[in-house]
Amino acid sequence: MIKFDFETYLEGEVNTETFIAYSNSVDRARNDFLRENNMNDWYQFDMLLSEEELIDIEQTATYVRSKAELFIVIGVGGSYLGAKGIIDALTPYFKKDYPQIIYAGNSLSGEYLESLIDYMQDKEVVLNVISKSGNTLETSVTFDALYKSLKARYNEEEIKERIIVTTDKESGYLLEMAKRIGCKRFIFPTNVGGRFSTLTVVGLFPICVAGIDIRSILDGARSAKQNRRDYYKYLAVREHMYSKGKYVEVFNVYEPKLEAFTEWIQQIFAETQGKFKKGILPIPMVNTGKLHSLGQYLQEGTPIVFETSIDVEKNSDYYVEKYSRYMDTMNSIALKSVASAHHAEGRYTGIITIDEINPYNMGYLYAFFSIVSTLGAYMAGNNYANQPGVNKYKEIMRSQLNI
Ligand code: PA5
């Protein structure tokens, strides 16, 4: 169950007229998006994967769960953020009943790599290296290092069983490596960009290794696509806020296991809309902790911020005798108290409430934010699918390194 409240704590700024005023431009953006077919295969949540492909993902994941103590996902940006967001959200904080999952290749830290190589020495390891281009430096340097470490331990046949490559079907360094090693390959869909790839084999495979029901995630995504009213309203709120000089949107979560998901939300908005000197700066915030640092700025600092908070009604049975309430109820009260305090200072908050953190709701939220960021880019006249700024640093770095 998901509820959207884009009214209570936006009162005085956003009203029914605001939603009506923007609905035509959302309609136009939606029609343009559907007509242009610009990298938009991700939007076909009902046709993304055939039954055969889903079974392949599930069987390969079962194999990994039986073989690995340590499953290392190598990738950067859109190649891992969405999967990590969903895995962290849907697995327990401490006791995990699947192979330990570690993420690598998302930095150029030599120390991280050295200690990972050391850590994996006495463990049964399986690697899943993910890159659409197959050439991203962080990913390939990390893959080379971990592959070398496996070669020092295993023969060719055994290594083949321990590497799964997700990359383009036609080109790139990783494709060459996969062919040379002869390992299992998943195809990174051509017509889907990295940050939109989580509900394809790219993200669903690691998510499935974590023991999560990927079919329910897809069910949730399909419903988000159908419930147009909610994303129309949210788009109107964002457009309206931007027009009033609210250039920063803070995404508040009150359940720390949603932190990685907010990092993916940050990516989807920043890379999809932050172009041509336009776009709202997305800032993730994990509360109540951050209320004791950033909270002051949001309450009384420069008024360039609006907020979207995700409220989880009930995710545990922990009951606080002293206050005669569930801890989760206290958390929701904290969220609404903050929204109310900020509202009193003319700072506005939309609230998305989910009954619990489950695969269906995570699929819903994933699709919801993907659709909103895309249509928002169309409304601003931006190409939603590219990330020329990211590519620029990659080019300069490559030329500095002479590679
Ligand atoms: O979302 C995106 O498109 C980017 O963040 C890419 O995923 C990221 O740069 C990694 O690229 P690649 O998958 O080619 O290694």
Side-chain angles (χ1 to χ4, degrees):
M1 183 282 295
I2 305 206
K3 284 184 290 193
F4 294 83
D5 178 356
F6 294 121
E7 279 150 58
T8 310
Y9 298 100
L10 288 149
E11 204 202 331
E13 189 59 47
V14 167
N15 54 32
T16 314
E17 279 72 54
T18 323
F19 300 133
I20 294 169
Y22 285 100
S23 66
N24 283 343
S25 40
V26 181
D27 268 339
R28 263 196 307 279
R30 193 171 166 277
N31 291 337
D32 290 346
F33 167 62
L34 295 176
R35 197 180 42 244
E36 276 179 17
N37 190 23
N38 175 16
M39 295 288 282
N40 62 2
D41 280 3
W42 62 269
Y43 186 67
Q44 310 307 324
F45 298 113
D46 24 11
M47 296 183 286
L48 270 179
L49 292 154
S50 64
E51 182 58 25
E52 210 174 78
E53 287 166 317
L54 278 170
I55 291 173
D56 184 25
I57 292 173
E58 286 163 344
Q59 286 178 344
T60 313
T62 305
Y63 158 77
V64 172
R65 285 164 69 83
S66 69
K67 179 132 186 128
E69 288 172 87
L70 183 59
F71 178 61
I72 305 180
V73 178
I74 308 170
V76 67
S79 287
Y80 90 105
L81 278 174
K84 183 172 193 303
I86 290 181
I87 292 171
D88 282 8
L90 293 172
T91 54
Y93 279 104
F94 301 111
K95 282 192 184 166
K96 319 245 187 198
D97 70 340
Y98 54 84
Q100 183 189 7
I101 301 185
I102 286 188
Y103 302 87
N106 49 59
S107 78
L108 286 173
S109 162
E111 183 183 343
Y112 186 88
L113 203 48
E114 258 178 3
S115 45
L116 179 56
I117 290 167
D118 182 43
Y119 182 69
M120 66 192 250
Q121 283 321 308
D122 58 351
K123 301 190 176 53
E124 295 294 333
V125 183
V126 173
L127 310 180
N128 179 204
V129 56
I130 307 172
S131 172
K132 184 175 170 82
S133 62
N135 294 322
T136 299
L137 184 70
E138 292 91 328
T139 312
S140 57
V141 165
T142 304
F143 174 70
D144 288 346
L146 301 191
Y147 175 48
K148 188 171 163 206
S149 159
L150 289 186
K151 281 213 289 194
R153 283 170 66 188
Y154 302 112
N155 64 30
E156 278 182 19
E157 273 313 298
E158 186 62 28
I159 286 182
K160 221 157 101 171
E161 316 262 283
R162 291 177 182 274
I163 297 179
I164 296 155
V165 175
T166 308
T167 194
D168 183 68
K169 62 174 186 292
E170 276 166 6
S171 62
Y173 169 70
L174 282 178
L175 178 67
E176 276 168 38
M177 288 303 288
K179 284 183 181 162
R180 198 180 308 163
I181 296 164
C183 59
K184 167 89 184 161
R185 257 192 289 150
F186 284 124
I187 294 174
F188 202 124
T190 311
N191 206 22
V192 176
R195 58 191 171 277
F196 293 93
S197 66
T198 310
L199 302 192
T200 70
V201 65
V202 177
L204 289 180
F205 173 60
I207 291 171
C208 199
V209 171
I212 294 163
D213 172 8
I214 55 176
R215 291 170 190 259
S216 298
I217 293 181
L218 289 169
D219 285 345
R222 282 180 205 114
S223 338
K225 187 173 155 179
Q226 279 147 18
N227 290 346
R228 278 199 228 172
R229 206 172 62 114
D230 300 326
Y231 64 78
Y232 267 56
K233 276 190 169 183
Y234 183 39
L235 274 156
V237 168
R238 298 188 91 247
E239 288 298 310
H240 178 77
M241 288 296 163
Y242 189 62
S243 75
K244 294 277 169 159
K246 309 286 181 195
Y247 296 141
V248 180
E249 180 174 12
V250 169
F251 291 92
N252 297 302
V253 288
Y254 284 70
E255 190 61 59
K257 52 161 50 177
L258 291 176
E259 181 172 15
F261 187 65
T262 60
E263 281 171 17
W264 169 80
I265 294 178
Q266 181 172 52
Q267 184 204 16
I268 198 87
F269 281 115
E271 287 194 345
T272 305
Q273 297 194 343
K275 291 162 204 177
F276 302 109
K277 304 190 175 19
K278 289 191 232 172
I280 296 166
L281 175 68
I283 301 291
M285 175 149 158
V286 181
N287 291 334
T288 57
K290 279 277 162 76
L291 293 173
H292 301 262
S293 52
L294 255 182
Q296 171 60 35
Y297 184 98
L298 298 183
Q299 180 78 35
E300 294 181 340
T302 317
I304 48 166
V305 180
F306 69 104
E307 297 169 66
T308 298
S309 298
I310 300 180
D311 187 17
V312 182
E313 272 178 352
K314 194 162 183 301
N315 220 42
S316 87
D317 290 325
Y318 192 84
Y319 191 75
V320 185
E321 300 286 346
K322 191 173 169 190
Y323 300 117
S324 313
R325 281 192 175 86
Y326 287 103
M327 188 82 147
D328 288 346
T329 312
M330 291 170 63
N331 213 2
S332 292
I333 291 172
L335 181 151
K336 285 178 190 125
S337 307
V338 172
S340 169
H342 291 186
H343 187 248
E345 285 289 334
R347 284 125 215 265
Y348 302 98
T349 307
I351 299 182
I352 301 175
T353 303
I354 56 177
D355 52 345
E356 59 176 7
I357 303 177
N358 61 30
Y360 178 93
N361 286 343
M362 291 310 295
Y364 194 112
L365 290 177
Y366 179 89
F368 176 78
F369 285 112
S370 301
I371 293 168
V372 169
S373 65
T374 299
L375 298 188
Y378 270 87
M379 288 165 84
N382 274 344
N383 178 347
Y384 91 95
N386 65 3
Q387 53 286 323
V390 180
N391 297 344
K392 264 183 200 138
Y393 107 81
K394 288 187 183 178
E395 278 161 29
I396 297 174
M397 183 171 64
R398 284 193 163 269
S399 84
Q400 298 274 324
L401 291 166
N402 283 325
I403 50 175

Short mmCIF file of all heavy atoms in Angstrom, two decimals, residues 75-81 130-137 139 174 188 193-197 267 271 385-387 390-391 393-394, ligand 1:
data_model
loop_
_atom_site.label_atom_id
_atom_site.label_comp_id
_atom_site.label_asym_id
_atom_site.label_seq_id
_atom_site.Cartn_x
_atom_site.Cartn_y
_atom_site.Cartn_z
N GLY A 75 30.76 -2.57 -10.08
CA GLY A 75 30.10 -1.65 -11.01
C GLY A 75 29.99 -0.28 -10.35
O GLY A 75 30.16 -0.14 -9.13
N VAL A 76 29.70 0.73 -11.16
CA VAL A 76 29.62 2.09 -10.62
C VAL A 76 28.36 2.77 -11.15
O VAL A 76 27.85 2.41 -12.21
CB VAL A 76 30.93 2.87 -10.98
CG1 VAL A 76 31.07 3.11 -12.47
CG2 VAL A 76 31.06 4.17 -10.21
N GLY A 77 27.86 3.77 -10.42
CA GLY A 77 26.68 4.54 -10.86
C GLY A 77 25.49 3.62 -11.09
O GLY A 77 25.15 2.77 -10.27
N GLY A 78 24.87 3.79 -12.26
CA GLY A 78 23.66 3.05 -12.58
C GLY A 78 23.85 1.55 -12.64
O GLY A 78 22.89 0.79 -12.62
N SER A 79 25.10 1.10 -12.68
CA SER A 79 25.32 -0.34 -12.76
C SER A 79 25.17 -1.04 -11.41
O SER A 79 25.16 -2.26 -11.35
CB SER A 79 26.72 -0.62 -13.33
OG SER A 79 26.71 -0.33 -14.70
N TYR A 80 25.08 -0.27 -10.31
CA TYR A 80 24.88 -0.95 -9.03
C TYR A 80 23.99 -0.21 -8.02
O TYR A 80 23.41 -0.82 -7.13
CB TYR A 80 26.24 -1.25 -8.36
CG TYR A 80 26.73 -0.15 -7.44
CD1 TYR A 80 26.68 -0.29 -6.05
CD2 TYR A 80 27.21 1.03 -7.96
CE1 TYR A 80 27.12 0.74 -5.21
CE2 TYR A 80 27.65 2.06 -7.14
CZ TYR A 80 27.60 1.90 -5.76
OH TYR A 80 28.02 2.92 -4.95
N LEU A 81 23.83 1.13 -8.19
CA LEU A 81 23.13 1.90 -7.13
C LEU A 81 21.70 1.43 -6.89
O LEU A 81 21.25 1.33 -5.76
CB LEU A 81 23.14 3.38 -7.48
CG LEU A 81 24.40 4.17 -7.13
CD1 LEU A 81 24.30 5.59 -7.69
CD2 LEU A 81 24.61 4.23 -5.62
N ILE A 130 29.48 -5.62 -13.72
CA ILE A 130 28.38 -5.01 -14.49
C ILE A 130 28.84 -3.70 -15.12
O ILE A 130 29.27 -2.78 -14.41
CB ILE A 130 27.18 -4.71 -13.56
CG1 ILE A 130 26.77 -5.97 -12.78
CG2 ILE A 130 26.00 -4.16 -14.37
CD1 ILE A 130 25.73 -5.71 -11.70
N SER A 131 28.74 -3.60 -16.45
CA SER A 131 29.03 -2.32 -17.10
C SER A 131 28.40 -2.32 -18.48
O SER A 131 28.61 -3.25 -19.26
CB SER A 131 30.54 -2.12 -17.22
OG SER A 131 30.82 -0.98 -18.00
N LYS A 132 27.62 -1.28 -18.76
CA LYS A 132 26.97 -1.20 -20.08
C LYS A 132 28.05 -1.00 -21.16
O LYS A 132 28.10 -1.73 -22.13
CB LYS A 132 25.97 -0.06 -20.10
CG LYS A 132 25.19 0.03 -21.41
CD LYS A 132 24.14 1.12 -21.31
CE LYS A 132 23.50 1.40 -22.66
NZ LYS A 132 22.44 0.48 -23.02
N SER A 133 28.91 -0.01 -20.93
CA SER A 133 29.95 0.28 -21.94
C SER A 133 31.01 -0.82 -21.95
O SER A 133 31.65 -1.06 -22.96
CB SER A 133 30.62 1.61 -21.62
OG SER A 133 31.24 1.53 -20.35
N GLY A 134 31.20 -1.45 -20.81
CA GLY A 134 32.25 -2.47 -20.70
C GLY A 134 33.63 -1.87 -20.59
O GLY A 134 34.63 -2.59 -20.57
N ASN A 135 33.72 -0.55 -20.51
CA ASN A 135 35.03 0.10 -20.52
C ASN A 135 35.25 1.04 -19.34
O ASN A 135 36.29 1.69 -19.29
CB ASN A 135 35.18 0.95 -21.80
CG ASN A 135 35.22 0.07 -23.03
OD1 ASN A 135 35.80 -1.01 -23.00
ND2 ASN A 135 34.58 0.51 -24.10
N THR A 136 34.30 1.17 -18.44
CA THR A 136 34.45 2.15 -17.36
C THR A 136 35.67 1.82 -16.49
O THR A 136 35.86 0.66 -16.08
CB THR A 136 33.16 2.19 -16.52
OG1 THR A 136 32.10 2.57 -17.38
CG2 THR A 136 33.25 3.17 -15.37
N LEU A 137 36.50 2.84 -16.26
CA LEU A 137 37.80 2.61 -15.63
C LEU A 137 37.69 1.95 -14.26
O LEU A 137 38.35 0.95 -13.97
CB LEU A 137 38.54 3.95 -15.52
CG LEU A 137 39.95 3.84 -14.96
CD1 LEU A 137 40.89 3.15 -15.93
CD2 LEU A 137 40.49 5.22 -14.61
N THR A 139 35.43 0.20 -12.93
CA THR A 139 34.93 -1.18 -13.01
C THR A 139 36.00 -2.11 -13.56
O THR A 139 36.24 -3.20 -13.02
CB THR A 139 33.69 -1.22 -13.93
OG1 THR A 139 32.81 -0.18 -13.55
CG2 THR A 139 32.99 -2.55 -13.86
N LEU A 174 34.86 -5.68 -21.30
CA LEU A 174 34.32 -6.78 -20.47
C LEU A 174 33.74 -7.90 -21.31
O LEU A 174 33.80 -9.07 -20.92
CB LEU A 174 33.25 -6.24 -19.52
CG LEU A 174 33.78 -5.52 -18.29
CD1 LEU A 174 32.63 -5.00 -17.46
CD2 LEU A 174 34.67 -6.44 -17.47
N PHE A 188 23.36 -6.61 -21.08
CA PHE A 188 22.87 -5.30 -20.62
C PHE A 188 22.02 -4.76 -21.77
O PHE A 188 22.53 -4.57 -22.87
CB PHE A 188 24.08 -4.37 -20.37
CG PHE A 188 23.81 -3.23 -19.45
CD1 PHE A 188 24.58 -3.04 -18.31
CD2 PHE A 188 22.77 -2.33 -19.70
CE1 PHE A 188 24.34 -1.97 -17.45
CE2 PHE A 188 22.53 -1.27 -18.84
CZ PHE A 188 23.31 -1.09 -17.72
N GLY A 193 19.36 2.89 -20.25
CA GLY A 193 20.54 3.51 -19.64
C GLY A 193 20.81 2.93 -18.26
O GLY A 193 19.91 2.35 -17.63
N GLY A 194 22.03 3.11 -17.76
CA GLY A 194 22.45 2.51 -16.48
C GLY A 194 21.49 2.75 -15.35
O GLY A 194 21.01 1.82 -14.70
N ARG A 195 21.15 4.03 -15.09
CA ARG A 195 20.33 4.32 -13.90
C ARG A 195 18.89 3.82 -14.03
O ARG A 195 18.15 3.81 -13.05
CB ARG A 195 20.35 5.82 -13.62
CG ARG A 195 19.86 6.70 -14.74
CD ARG A 195 20.17 8.16 -14.48
NE ARG A 195 19.90 9.01 -15.64
CZ ARG A 195 20.72 9.20 -16.65
NH1 ARG A 195 21.87 8.55 -16.69
NH2 ARG A 195 20.41 9.99 -17.64
N PHE A 196 18.49 3.42 -15.25
CA PHE A 196 17.14 2.89 -15.44
C PHE A 196 17.15 1.35 -15.54
O PHE A 196 16.14 0.76 -15.88
CB PHE A 196 16.52 3.47 -16.72
CG PHE A 196 16.27 4.95 -16.63
CD1 PHE A 196 17.22 5.86 -17.06
CD2 PHE A 196 15.10 5.43 -16.07
CE1 PHE A 196 17.00 7.23 -16.96
CE2 PHE A 196 14.87 6.80 -15.96
CZ PHE A 196 15.82 7.70 -16.40
N SER A 197 18.30 0.74 -15.25
CA SER A 197 18.45 -0.68 -15.59
C SER A 197 18.13 -1.64 -14.44
O SER A 197 18.21 -2.85 -14.62
CB SER A 197 19.89 -0.94 -16.05
OG SER A 197 20.78 -0.73 -14.95
N GLN A 267 20.78 9.92 -7.77
CA GLN A 267 21.35 9.73 -9.11
C GLN A 267 20.31 9.93 -10.21
O GLN A 267 20.56 10.61 -11.21
CB GLN A 267 21.94 8.32 -9.22
CG GLN A 267 22.63 8.16 -10.57
CD GLN A 267 22.75 6.74 -11.05
OE1 GLN A 267 22.09 5.83 -10.55
NE2 GLN A 267 23.59 6.53 -12.03
N GLU A 271 21.28 12.91 -12.72
CA GLU A 271 21.77 12.60 -14.07
C GLU A 271 20.70 12.80 -15.14
O GLU A 271 21.01 13.05 -16.30
CB GLU A 271 22.31 11.17 -14.14
CG GLU A 271 23.64 11.01 -13.42
CD GLU A 271 24.37 9.71 -13.74
OE1 GLU A 271 23.74 8.78 -14.28
OE2 GLU A 271 25.56 9.61 -13.42
N ALA A 385 17.95 10.89 -21.22
CA ALA A 385 18.65 9.61 -21.22
C ALA A 385 20.17 9.71 -21.15
O ALA A 385 20.84 8.73 -20.83
CB ALA A 385 18.25 8.81 -22.46
N ASN A 386 20.73 10.90 -21.45
CA ASN A 386 22.20 10.93 -21.49
C ASN A 386 22.78 11.51 -20.20
O ASN A 386 22.05 11.93 -19.30
CB ASN A 386 22.67 11.73 -22.72
CG ASN A 386 22.28 13.20 -22.63
OD1 ASN A 386 21.70 13.63 -21.64
ND2 ASN A 386 22.58 13.96 -23.65
N GLN A 387 24.08 11.52 -20.10
CA GLN A 387 24.77 12.13 -18.95
C GLN A 387 26.10 12.68 -19.44
O GLN A 387 27.17 12.18 -19.08
CB GLN A 387 24.94 11.16 -17.78
CG GLN A 387 25.61 9.82 -18.06
CD GLN A 387 24.73 8.87 -18.81
OE1 GLN A 387 23.52 8.81 -18.59
NE2 GLN A 387 25.30 8.13 -19.74
N VAL A 390 28.95 13.39 -16.98
CA VAL A 390 29.69 12.23 -16.45
C VAL A 390 30.72 11.80 -17.50
O VAL A 390 31.87 11.49 -17.19
CB VAL A 390 28.72 11.06 -16.15
CG1 VAL A 390 29.47 9.86 -15.61
CG2 VAL A 390 27.64 11.49 -15.19
N ASN A 391 30.29 11.82 -18.76
CA ASN A 391 31.19 11.36 -19.81
C ASN A 391 32.42 12.28 -19.93
O ASN A 391 33.51 11.82 -20.26
CB ASN A 391 30.46 11.28 -21.16
CG ASN A 391 29.35 10.24 -21.09
OD1 ASN A 391 29.35 9.41 -20.17
ND2 ASN A 391 28.42 10.28 -22.02
N TYR A 393 34.13 13.88 -17.55
CA TYR A 393 35.22 13.56 -16.61
C TYR A 393 35.90 12.25 -17.03
O TYR A 393 37.12 12.10 -16.94
CB TYR A 393 34.72 13.53 -15.16
CG TYR A 393 34.60 12.15 -14.54
CD1 TYR A 393 35.73 11.50 -14.03
CD2 TYR A 393 33.38 11.49 -14.49
CE1 TYR A 393 35.63 10.23 -13.49
CE2 TYR A 393 33.27 10.23 -13.96
CZ TYR A 393 34.40 9.59 -13.47
OH TYR A 393 34.30 8.34 -12.94
N LYS A 394 35.07 11.30 -17.57
CA LYS A 394 35.66 10.02 -17.99
C LYS A 394 36.69 10.26 -19.10
O LYS A 394 37.78 9.70 -19.07
CB LYS A 394 34.57 9.06 -18.51
CG LYS A 394 33.65 8.47 -17.45
CD LYS A 394 32.73 7.41 -18.06
CE LYS A 394 31.73 6.83 -17.08
NZ LYS A 394 30.80 5.85 -17.66
O1 PA5 B 1 23.42 5.87 -15.08
C1 PA5 B 1 24.36 5.91 -15.85
O2 PA5 B 1 24.20 5.82 -17.08
C2 PA5 B 1 25.78 6.00 -15.33
O3 PA5 B 1 25.78 6.25 -13.95
C3 PA5 B 1 26.52 4.70 -15.62
O4 PA5 B 1 25.76 3.62 -15.09
C4 PA5 B 1 27.92 4.67 -15.01
O5 PA5 B 1 28.68 5.75 -15.51
C5 PA5 B 1 28.63 3.36 -15.34
O6 PA5 B 1 28.71 3.15 -16.72
P1 PA5 B 1 28.92 1.69 -17.31
O7 PA5 B 1 27.73 0.86 -16.98
O8 PA5 B 1 29.10 1.89 -18.78
O9 PA5 B 1 30.14 1.12 -16.66
#
